[in-house]
Every structure is written in structure tokens, then in C-alpha cells.
Amino acid sequence: MPDRRPHRVVVLALDGAIPFELGIPQRIFGRARDSSREPLYEIVTCSVREPGPVRTDADFSILVENGPETLATADTVVIPASYELGPVFDEGRLTGELHAAFARLRPGTRMVSICTGSYVLAAAGYLDGRPATTHWSSAAHFQRLFPRVKVDADVLFIDDGDVLTSAGVAAGIDLCLHIVRRDHGTAVANEVARRTVVPPYRDGGQAQYIERPVPEPQLATTATARGWALTRLHEPIQLRDMAEQESMSVRTFTRRFREEAGISPGQWLVLQRVERARHLLESTDLSVDQVARDAGFGTAQSMRQHLQSALGVPPTVYRRTFRAGTGTGTAAGAGAGAGADR
């Protein structure tokens, strides 16, 4: 008879764990079923020490009943984020406990990280020469600490075969659903998504969630021009018009602007218009065409191209993601299959 043993997912609970992220593998993999309604995964949580309490970043600890020897039984290991990574985060090296725990892994074990759990994979050498992601706010630090890793801070997750990494927090859901989809197909993953009441696939990447304030200049010699432009974003603005506000030649103004803001006047205008469009999409009922005009893009197509480039998603998807609540949070047809999450 064929081996019907479920694929074993071992979740490594580290001190300082974020309870939400720690629960994602159980929530997603634990709801995957085959056509006979048999579980496709077995999920086990372990610590790097003997069984016992593990601190979280909340006001409670969790009792983990399995020690590091459980890692030797894993088909897939998931490492959620922790706020107490110590030398892993500060120096890029494993603690003695983590080193001993990883030594128990069988060759070929699939390795997965959620959020800054990627630091542990990188410190263990799993990400050397590979593409990887992490929470966008840690990406620059991560890249400095692990220069051999090819960091991409704009995506929700990266699948590099036997090593997979996700961006911050809820991106762990996206990655786990992707793994279910990769292992067992779209139908199984979609059923898990419906029962968990999450989208089976999210458009775009981390870029749409990152606050990108326009760089503030160190000197104020072009401040008048910038203030003037901000009140006229809905109008065509020429470089010479901005230069005239400072009584400078276009060449001198462009040089001064770049020295102060770190980007060209044209790039600055696009960023300001993108931020204006984001604000209008989030806070008004204006049509996409009207938002495009008010933000200074002229046409919806032009705005769509700029938002796709800057945020990774088109205007309609951005509005659907970030628009303030307009009802009960349900949609037509959402009730079928989503009400009994047991």
C-alpha cells in the first residue's frame, strides 16, 4: 500500500515569537484536506530547548510540548519571526542552541521563513547566493548583515525551491497558501483560503504597504518651488515653471534640487502625484478617471502605469485593499463555504 503519512510541518517556536505568525502554519496547513477529507499535513510545534514555556512578544507565554529532536522528523520546517533573535539579528550568527537544533535536520528538508524568521535561515547559510525577502522595514539591515543574499523587499514571498521566504506578518499566509497550491493544486488551496476567509492570492507585493515619504532636503533653497508645485499637482507643471519660482536657470535649479532632495524634480513630482492618488483612492469615492486628473496624471492609463510601477498594483486593486470599510466586510457569494470555519 502507498504511504499515506501526511507531510510533516514542524514550526520552530523561538523566544519572542509573534503569536499571530506562530499560528499561521497550523491555520493554513491544518485545513488542507484530500478528496477523502483526510489531512494532507501534520503540524507540530517545537522549541530549541526541552519542552516547556516559550516567551512571546505578547503578555503571555505558550507551552511547547516538543523539543528540538522533533526537527529530525520534519519534511518542512517553518520559522516564524521573533523579537528576541539576539546574535542572529545583531551579528548574523546562530546561537549554540539553534546550531545544535539545525544539525538535527535531514538533508532535503524544505525550509520556510515568515517575516524576520529569514534572519535565522540566513545565519544558518540557507540563503547564501539565493533570492530572499523579509519584512520591508528590516530589508536594508538584512542586506547589510547578509551581503551574499539577493534581497527583494518588494515581494510578498519568494519560492526558491527547497527554501522559501515571506515578507512581514500576513505575507506568511500568502506563502503558506502558495505552498499548499504547489503541493496539492489550486482547488485545495482555494478551499483552505475560503475556510480561512482570506484571498487565495493577493495582487502586488510589499511595495503597496510601504510608506515612502518623499526625501526631505537638507537645505531649503528650492522650498518655494516645491510648495508652489504641491498646490498645483492637478495642473501640468514644467521644469522651467519650478525654476522660475526660485529665480534660477533650469540647469542650476535641477542641480540644486537633486543635491537637496536626492532625486530629480521630475521624479519628485511623480512621487508626489502617486502619494496624492493614494490619498484620493483611500479617502474618496472619486472615479479612477477623476483621481487621475486631480493627481496630475491626466489619464487613468497614465496613473495606472505609474501606480503599477511604484506600488505593484493598479488603482482599482489598491482602492479595494485600502478603502475604509464600506459595509459589513462581506461580498456577494462570500457566505458559501466561508461560514463554518471548523
Side-chain angles (χ1 to χ4, degrees), residues 88-89 113 115-123 127 130-152 165:
V88 174
F89 187 85
S113 68
C115 193
T116 53
S118 56
Y119 278 77
V120 178
L121 290 185
L127 301 181
R130 290 178 179 256
T133 192
T134 191
H135 193 286
W136 62 265
S137 66
S138 298
H141 175 263
F142 184 85
Q143 185 67 90
R144 289 194 301 271
L145 197 61
F146 304 108
R148 298 182 63 184
V149 181
K150 303 172 184 177
V151 181
D152 185 346
T165 54

Side-chain angles (χ1 to χ4, degrees), residues 27-273:
R27 192 69 175 174
I28 301 301
F29 295 121
R31 274 154 181 72
R33 298 287 190 272
D34 64 15
S35 58
S36 301
R37 308 307 301 163
E38 293 297 320
L40 292 166
Y41 298 92
E42 176 189 15
I43 305 89
V44 181
T45 303
C46 76
S47 74
V48 294
R49 300 184 299 273
E50 68 280 358
V54 171
R55 295 188 303 275
T56 73
D57 77 325
D59 63 342
F60 58 84
S61 297
I62 59 171
L63 180 62
V64 177
E65 298 182 352
N66 301 285
E69 66 280 355
T70 307
L71 289 169
T73 69
D75 299 305
T76 294
V77 171
V78 179
I79 306 174
S82 164
Y83 281 118
E84 298 182 21
L85 290 177
V88 174
F89 187 85
D90 298 330
E91 305 168 30
R93 64 176 179 84
L94 294 180
T95 63
E97 287 180 330
L98 276 170
H99 189 276
F102 276 92
R104 297 174 179 271
L105 293 170
R106 296 177 298 174
T109 302
R110 182 166 59 185
M111 304 299 291
V112 177
S113 68
I114 298 175
C115 193
T116 53
S118 56
Y119 278 77
V120 178
L121 290 185
Y126 283 97
L127 301 181
D128 286 353
R130 290 178 179 256
T133 192
T134 191
H135 193 286
W136 62 265
S137 66
S138 298
H141 175 263
F142 184 85
Q143 185 67 90
R144 289 194 301 271
L145 197 61
F146 304 108
R148 298 182 63 184
V149 181
K150 303 172 184 177
V151 181
D152 185 346
D154 289 335
V155 297
L156 291 174
F157 61 82
I158 289 179
D159 179 343
D160 196 40
D162 59 342
V163 179
L164 302 92
T165 54
S166 80
V169 195
I173 297 174
D174 298 288
L175 177 54
C176 289
L177 281 172
H178 168 77
I179 292 171
V180 173
R181 187 180 302 111
R182 194 180 90 171
D183 290 350
H184 300 288
T186 299
V188 174
N190 286 353
E191 181 184 10
V192 172
R194 283 196 299 271
R195 289 189 173 276
T196 314
V197 198
V198 295
Y201 182 84
R202 278 198 292 167
D203 298 297
Q206 289 195 86
Q208 59 185 309
Y209 302 96
I210 302 173
E211 291 186 12
R212 299 183 187 271
V214 177
E216 289 295 329
Q218 299 301 311
L219 303 172
T221 58
T222 60
T224 299
R226 287 181 284 111
W228 175 86
L230 286 174
T231 64
R232 293 168 173 79
L233 289 177
H234 60 288
E235 302 174 3
I237 298 175
Q238 302 298 321
L239 182 57
R240 64 175 179 274
D241 298 329
M242 295 183 69
E244 287 175 359
Q245 306 307 309
E246 305 290 356
S247 300
M248 295 180 186
S249 68
V250 169
R251 182 176 180 180
T252 298
F253 176 79
T254 301
R255 177 173 56 80
R256 289 279 182 85
F257 195 102
R258 188 179 289 276
E259 288 173 353
E260 295 166 11
I263 53 178
S264 71
Q267 291 170 320
W268 181 85
L269 276 172
V270 169
L271 286 173
Q272 294 291 355
R273 284 174 166 148

